[in-house]
Amino acid sequence: MNMLELIDKKKRNNSLTEEEIQYMIAKYTNDEVPDYQMSSMLMAILIHGMDENETAWLTKAMVESGDVIDLTSIEGFKVDKHSTGGIGDKVSLLVAPILASLNIPIAKMSGRGLGITGGTVDKLESIDGFHVELEADEFIKQVNEHKIAIVGQSGNLTPADKKLYALRDVTGTVDSIPLIASSIMSKKIASGADGIVLDVKCGKGAFMKDLEHASELAETMIQIGESLGRKVAVVITDMNQPLGHNIGNKLEVAEAHDFLSNYKESEQGLLDVTIAISSKMYQLATGASDEASEQKVLEVLSNGAALAKFKEFITAQGGDASDVHAKTTKHEIEVKAGQDGYISLIDAELIGKASLLVGAGRLTKADVLDFDAGVKLVALTGQPIKKGDTLAVLYSNKDAVDESIRLIEEAYSIKDAKSVKNKSILKIM
């Protein structure tokens, strides 16, 4: 067996065996297969796809390329959540304390943001003193004591995925559903959870632009999970518009705190997505019905238990639980409406770019974040607006903000007639 034979087999649209996939991934991880050969294989996979077995075997080989976290010493059914990335997506900051306050252990490893999508670890690092790195024994001890810990991805988890991910990015092979699905699922399975709820974003501010492809990705990940002994559910959510009011690291922590303090006053889309994902996570862990699961989630939001757990979690990881609101920035610029009408759409991608330019996101992994920078959406879809009313506030410590202002203005679509906002929950699988 050699790599050239496997490339030839795949380019002729023949299925690879489990042994062949294990060979390919092991050799590539150990630098025994050059990038140019793996690039050819990735392009063949992009063109011809992979069947259900191949995709599961690829995921398994990627999991086995490195360490697998052993969470067996944590009591209870461990349920994890993953989002494919979105603008203003602070849902992990909400569902984790909600589930932990319901006595469901959350042992979560999260990533950093790159480009217009933010990372949960960056948001938590914006809290003064918060430690995103814990030793394995500290991590497990904290989950057993507090039912919640969120740390950065570390150690030797899925090294094959890290290499493949970087190669896909520079060879035009990112948009392959088997490759996307195996990348996501390998990390989640290596992280040790018993059950996984996946928030697949769909729309202009997401990688999957339409429901058909989002559903295909969801179905593929469910099949992978089942074949590898995990319970998996998927919630497909709208990302044509930002989630909630705030985009930016400390701004999103502040919105998460305010949500847990009084969820009934939160933006409807953020509320719908948070309740749907929390309920599905609780259902996976306990086997409760849809209705009973949602009732449990609303109960801990109403009685303050989720907010108390949020503060407890921050303190347990060394953070200052009172440091949850963004500090004043050099510039706080109100972006005004140029006409009367109704807001019909807020383009998530453009808002993400505006936030990125003022330092709330990274263009490269080496970029330093400004935790307090970002955008607050004052006016939301469906609202009536008058010329001169404030649409959004831009927070920046940079002086050059004209392009961000222009992007925010362009993001807001104002029409004469009132339009109905898209549903936040597109599909549950």
Side-chain angles (χ1 to χ4, degrees), residues 216-255:
E216 186 182 347
L217 174 62
E219 185 60 43
T220 302
M221 292 192 290
I222 290 170
Q223 289 169 352
I224 290 171
E226 288 177 349
S227 71
L228 298 178
R230 300 299 193 279
K231 287 186 178 181
V232 180
V234 178
V235 182
I236 301 178
T237 62
D238 177 69
M239 192 36 73
N240 284 298
Q241 306 188 69
L243 200 55
H245 286 274
N246 294 2
I247 299 92
N249 296 286
K250 200 62 168 286
L251 288 165
E252 292 186 41
V253 171
E255 187 169 15

Short mmCIF file of all heavy atoms in Angstrom, two decimals, residues 216-255:
data_model
loop_
_atom_site.label_atom_id
_atom_site.label_comp_id
_atom_site.label_asym_id
_atom_site.label_seq_id
_atom_site.Cartn_x
_atom_site.Cartn_y
_atom_site.Cartn_z
N GLU A 216 -27.39 18.53 5.17
CA GLU A 216 -26.49 17.46 4.74
C GLU A 216 -25.33 17.32 5.72
O GLU A 216 -24.94 16.21 6.10
CB GLU A 216 -25.97 17.73 3.33
CG GLU A 216 -25.14 16.59 2.76
CD GLU A 216 -24.60 16.91 1.36
OE1 GLU A 216 -25.05 17.89 0.73
OE2 GLU A 216 -23.70 16.16 0.92
N LEU A 217 -24.77 18.46 6.13
CA LEU A 217 -23.68 18.43 7.11
C LEU A 217 -24.17 17.84 8.43
O LEU A 217 -23.50 17.00 9.05
CB LEU A 217 -23.14 19.85 7.34
CG LEU A 217 -22.08 20.00 8.44
CD1 LEU A 217 -20.84 19.18 8.12
CD2 LEU A 217 -21.72 21.48 8.62
N ALA A 218 -25.36 18.27 8.86
CA ALA A 218 -25.93 17.77 10.12
C ALA A 218 -26.12 16.26 10.08
O ALA A 218 -25.75 15.55 11.02
CB ALA A 218 -27.26 18.48 10.39
N GLU A 219 -26.71 15.76 9.00
CA GLU A 219 -26.96 14.33 8.87
C GLU A 219 -25.66 13.54 8.89
O GLU A 219 -25.56 12.47 9.52
CB GLU A 219 -27.72 14.06 7.56
CG GLU A 219 -28.14 12.60 7.38
CD GLU A 219 -29.07 12.11 8.48
OE1 GLU A 219 -30.00 12.86 8.85
OE2 GLU A 219 -28.85 10.98 8.96
N THR A 220 -24.64 14.07 8.24
CA THR A 220 -23.33 13.40 8.21
C THR A 220 -22.74 13.31 9.61
O THR A 220 -22.21 12.26 10.01
CB THR A 220 -22.36 14.15 7.27
OG1 THR A 220 -22.93 14.23 5.96
CG2 THR A 220 -21.01 13.45 7.20
N MET A 221 -22.84 14.39 10.39
CA MET A 221 -22.27 14.39 11.74
C MET A 221 -23.05 13.48 12.67
O MET A 221 -22.47 12.83 13.56
CB MET A 221 -22.19 15.82 12.27
CG MET A 221 -21.17 16.66 11.52
SD MET A 221 -20.76 18.24 12.29
CE MET A 221 -22.29 19.15 12.04
N ILE A 222 -24.36 13.40 12.50
CA ILE A 222 -25.17 12.48 13.31
C ILE A 222 -24.76 11.03 13.01
O ILE A 222 -24.59 10.22 13.93
CB ILE A 222 -26.67 12.69 13.02
CG1 ILE A 222 -27.13 14.03 13.62
CG2 ILE A 222 -27.52 11.55 13.61
CD1 ILE A 222 -28.53 14.46 13.18
N GLN A 223 -24.57 10.71 11.74
CA GLN A 223 -24.14 9.36 11.35
C GLN A 223 -22.77 9.02 11.93
O GLN A 223 -22.55 7.90 12.41
CB GLN A 223 -24.12 9.24 9.82
CG GLN A 223 -25.51 9.23 9.20
CD GLN A 223 -25.46 9.39 7.68
OE1 GLN A 223 -24.41 9.64 7.10
NE2 GLN A 223 -26.61 9.25 7.05
N ILE A 224 -21.85 9.98 11.89
CA ILE A 224 -20.51 9.75 12.47
C ILE A 224 -20.65 9.45 13.96
O ILE A 224 -20.06 8.49 14.48
CB ILE A 224 -19.60 10.98 12.26
CG1 ILE A 224 -19.23 11.15 10.79
CG2 ILE A 224 -18.34 10.86 13.11
CD1 ILE A 224 -18.53 12.46 10.49
N GLY A 225 -21.41 10.28 14.66
CA GLY A 225 -21.58 10.10 16.10
C GLY A 225 -22.15 8.73 16.45
O GLY A 225 -21.63 8.03 17.33
N GLU A 226 -23.19 8.34 15.72
CA GLU A 226 -23.83 7.04 15.99
C GLU A 226 -22.86 5.89 15.73
O GLU A 226 -22.82 4.92 16.48
CB GLU A 226 -25.09 6.91 15.14
CG GLU A 226 -26.23 7.81 15.60
CD GLU A 226 -27.45 7.72 14.70
OE1 GLU A 226 -27.33 7.13 13.60
OE2 GLU A 226 -28.50 8.26 15.07
N SER A 227 -22.08 5.99 14.67
CA SER A 227 -21.15 4.91 14.32
C SER A 227 -20.03 4.78 15.34
O SER A 227 -19.43 3.72 15.48
CB SER A 227 -20.57 5.13 12.92
OG SER A 227 -19.67 6.22 12.94
N LEU A 228 -19.75 5.87 16.08
CA LEU A 228 -18.66 5.87 17.06
C LEU A 228 -19.20 5.90 18.50
O LEU A 228 -18.48 6.24 19.44
CB LEU A 228 -17.71 7.05 16.81
CG LEU A 228 -17.00 7.02 15.44
CD1 LEU A 228 -16.12 8.24 15.28
CD2 LEU A 228 -16.16 5.75 15.29
N GLY A 229 -20.48 5.54 18.64
CA GLY A 229 -21.04 5.35 19.98
C GLY A 229 -21.37 6.60 20.76
O GLY A 229 -21.36 6.59 21.99
N ARG A 230 -21.68 7.69 20.08
CA ARG A 230 -22.06 8.93 20.76
C ARG A 230 -23.50 9.31 20.42
O ARG A 230 -23.97 9.09 19.31
CB ARG A 230 -21.15 10.09 20.34
CG ARG A 230 -19.68 9.92 20.63
CD ARG A 230 -19.36 9.75 22.10
NE ARG A 230 -17.95 9.90 22.39
CZ ARG A 230 -17.04 8.95 22.22
NH1 ARG A 230 -17.40 7.77 21.73
NH2 ARG A 230 -15.77 9.16 22.52
N LYS A 231 -24.19 9.91 21.40
CA LYS A 231 -25.49 10.49 21.14
C LYS A 231 -25.27 11.88 20.52
O LYS A 231 -24.52 12.69 21.08
CB LYS A 231 -26.29 10.64 22.43
CG LYS A 231 -26.83 9.35 23.01
CD LYS A 231 -27.73 9.66 24.21
CE LYS A 231 -28.33 8.41 24.81
NZ LYS A 231 -29.22 8.75 25.96
N VAL A 232 -25.91 12.15 19.40
CA VAL A 232 -25.72 13.43 18.71
C VAL A 232 -27.07 14.00 18.29
O VAL A 232 -27.94 13.27 17.80
CB VAL A 232 -24.83 13.27 17.45
CG1 VAL A 232 -24.64 14.62 16.75
CG2 VAL A 232 -23.48 12.68 17.82
N ALA A 233 -27.25 15.30 18.52
CA ALA A 233 -28.42 16.02 18.02
C ALA A 233 -27.91 17.30 17.36
O ALA A 233 -26.84 17.82 17.72
CB ALA A 233 -29.39 16.34 19.14
N VAL A 234 -28.67 17.81 16.39
CA VAL A 234 -28.28 19.02 15.67
C VAL A 234 -29.43 20.02 15.68
O VAL A 234 -30.57 19.66 15.43
CB VAL A 234 -27.87 18.71 14.22
CG1 VAL A 234 -27.52 20.00 13.48
CG2 VAL A 234 -26.69 17.74 14.17
N VAL A 235 -29.08 21.27 15.98
CA VAL A 235 -30.02 22.38 15.85
C VAL A 235 -29.47 23.29 14.76
O VAL A 235 -28.36 23.82 14.90
CB VAL A 235 -30.18 23.15 17.17
CG1 VAL A 235 -31.20 24.28 17.03
CG2 VAL A 235 -30.59 22.22 18.31
N ILE A 236 -30.19 23.43 13.66
CA ILE A 236 -29.76 24.32 12.57
C ILE A 236 -30.38 25.70 12.82
O ILE A 236 -31.60 25.82 12.94
CB ILE A 236 -30.17 23.78 11.19
CG1 ILE A 236 -29.56 22.38 10.97
CG2 ILE A 236 -29.71 24.73 10.08
CD1 ILE A 236 -29.95 21.73 9.66
N THR A 237 -29.52 26.71 12.93
CA THR A 237 -30.00 28.05 13.31
C THR A 237 -29.62 29.10 12.27
O THR A 237 -28.62 28.96 11.55
CB THR A 237 -29.42 28.46 14.68
OG1 THR A 237 -27.99 28.51 14.62
CG2 THR A 237 -29.84 27.46 15.76
N ASP A 238 -30.42 30.13 12.20
CA ASP A 238 -30.25 31.19 11.21
C ASP A 238 -29.06 32.09 11.56
O ASP A 238 -28.92 32.53 12.70
CB ASP A 238 -31.52 32.04 11.14
CG ASP A 238 -31.37 33.21 10.18
OD1 ASP A 238 -31.30 32.96 8.97
OD2 ASP A 238 -31.31 34.37 10.63
N MET A 239 -28.20 32.35 10.57
CA MET A 239 -27.10 33.28 10.76
C MET A 239 -27.04 34.27 9.60
O MET A 239 -25.97 34.67 9.15
CB MET A 239 -25.78 32.52 10.95
CG MET A 239 -24.58 33.34 11.45
SD MET A 239 -24.87 34.65 12.63
CE MET A 239 -25.20 33.74 14.13
N ASN A 240 -28.22 34.65 9.09
CA ASN A 240 -28.25 35.76 8.14
C ASN A 240 -28.09 37.08 8.88
O ASN A 240 -27.65 38.07 8.31
CB ASN A 240 -29.57 35.75 7.36
CG ASN A 240 -29.59 34.68 6.28
OD1 ASN A 240 -28.79 34.70 5.36
ND2 ASN A 240 -30.49 33.71 6.43
N GLN A 241 -28.47 37.07 10.17
CA GLN A 241 -28.37 38.26 10.99
C GLN A 241 -27.63 37.91 12.27
O GLN A 241 -27.63 36.75 12.69
CB GLN A 241 -29.77 38.79 11.30
CG GLN A 241 -30.57 39.01 10.02
CD GLN A 241 -31.88 39.70 10.27
OE1 GLN A 241 -31.90 40.86 10.62
NE2 GLN A 241 -32.97 38.99 10.09
N PRO A 242 -26.97 38.88 12.91
CA PRO A 242 -26.23 38.59 14.14
C PRO A 242 -27.15 38.06 15.23
O PRO A 242 -28.36 38.29 15.22
CB PRO A 242 -25.64 39.95 14.52
CG PRO A 242 -25.62 40.73 13.25
CD PRO A 242 -26.82 40.29 12.48
N LEU A 243 -26.54 37.36 16.18
CA LEU A 243 -27.29 36.78 17.30
C LEU A 243 -27.18 37.72 18.50
O LEU A 243 -26.08 37.98 18.99
CB LEU A 243 -26.71 35.40 17.63
CG LEU A 243 -27.57 34.42 18.40
CD1 LEU A 243 -28.92 34.18 17.72
CD2 LEU A 243 -26.84 33.10 18.57
N GLY A 244 -28.31 38.24 18.93
CA GLY A 244 -28.30 39.17 20.05
C GLY A 244 -27.96 40.58 19.63
O GLY A 244 -27.97 40.93 18.45
N HIS A 245 -27.62 41.41 20.62
CA HIS A 245 -27.29 42.82 20.37
C HIS A 245 -25.79 43.07 20.20
O HIS A 245 -25.39 43.95 19.45
CB HIS A 245 -27.76 43.69 21.56
CG HIS A 245 -29.23 43.91 21.62
ND1 HIS A 245 -29.87 44.92 20.95
CD2 HIS A 245 -30.20 43.25 22.30
CE1 HIS A 245 -31.17 44.88 21.20
NE2 HIS A 245 -31.40 43.87 22.03
N ASN A 246 -24.95 42.31 20.93
CA ASN A 246 -23.54 42.66 21.07
C ASN A 246 -22.62 41.74 20.28
O ASN A 246 -22.77 40.52 20.33
CB ASN A 246 -23.13 42.62 22.54
CG ASN A 246 -23.82 43.68 23.38
OD1 ASN A 246 -24.65 44.44 22.89
ND2 ASN A 246 -23.47 43.75 24.64
N ILE A 247 -21.63 42.35 19.61
CA ILE A 247 -20.60 41.63 18.87
C ILE A 247 -19.26 42.16 19.36
O ILE A 247 -18.97 43.35 19.25
CB ILE A 247 -20.74 41.82 17.35
CG1 ILE A 247 -22.08 41.28 16.87
CG2 ILE A 247 -19.61 41.11 16.60
CD1 ILE A 247 -23.19 42.31 16.84
N GLY A 248 -18.43 41.30 19.90
CA GLY A 248 -17.17 41.70 20.51
C GLY A 248 -17.00 40.96 21.82
O GLY A 248 -17.99 40.61 22.48
N ASN A 249 -15.79 40.72 22.24
CA ASN A 249 -15.54 39.77 23.33
C ASN A 249 -16.16 40.17 24.67
O ASN A 249 -17.02 39.46 25.20
CB ASN A 249 -14.03 39.57 23.47
CG ASN A 249 -13.44 38.94 22.22
OD1 ASN A 249 -13.62 37.76 21.97
ND2 ASN A 249 -12.76 39.73 21.40
N LYS A 250 -15.76 41.31 25.21
CA LYS A 250 -16.31 41.73 26.51
C LYS A 250 -17.77 42.14 26.38
O LYS A 250 -18.58 41.93 27.30
CB LYS A 250 -15.48 42.89 27.07
CG LYS A 250 -15.60 43.11 28.57
CD LYS A 250 -15.12 41.90 29.36
CE LYS A 250 -14.99 42.22 30.83
NZ LYS A 250 -13.82 43.06 31.13
N LEU A 251 -18.13 42.69 25.24
CA LEU A 251 -19.52 43.05 24.99
C LEU A 251 -20.42 41.82 25.04
O LEU A 251 -21.55 41.88 25.55
CB LEU A 251 -19.65 43.75 23.63
CG LEU A 251 -19.10 45.17 23.53
CD1 LEU A 251 -18.95 45.58 22.07
CD2 LEU A 251 -19.99 46.16 24.26
N GLU A 252 -19.93 40.69 24.53
CA GLU A 252 -20.74 39.47 24.52
C GLU A 252 -20.82 38.84 25.91
O GLU A 252 -21.84 38.26 26.28
CB GLU A 252 -20.19 38.49 23.48
CG GLU A 252 -20.39 39.00 22.06
CD GLU A 252 -20.00 38.00 20.99
OE1 GLU A 252 -20.31 36.80 21.16
OE2 GLU A 252 -19.38 38.41 19.99
N VAL A 253 -19.75 38.96 26.70
CA VAL A 253 -19.81 38.50 28.10
C VAL A 253 -20.87 39.32 28.84
O VAL A 253 -21.67 38.76 29.61
CB VAL A 253 -18.44 38.64 28.78
CG1 VAL A 253 -18.55 38.39 30.29
CG2 VAL A 253 -17.43 37.69 28.16
N ALA A 254 -20.89 40.62 28.60
CA ALA A 254 -21.88 41.49 29.25
C ALA A 254 -23.30 41.08 28.86
O ALA A 254 -24.20 41.03 29.72
CB ALA A 254 -21.62 42.95 28.87
N GLU A 255 -23.51 40.78 27.58
CA GLU A 255 -24.84 40.38 27.15
C GLU A 255 -25.24 39.03 27.75
O GLU A 255 -26.40 38.82 28.11
CB GLU A 255 -24.92 40.33 25.62
CG GLU A 255 -26.35 40.08 25.13
CD GLU A 255 -26.53 40.30 23.64
OE1 GLU A 255 -25.52 40.35 22.91
OE2 GLU A 255 -27.69 40.42 23.20
#
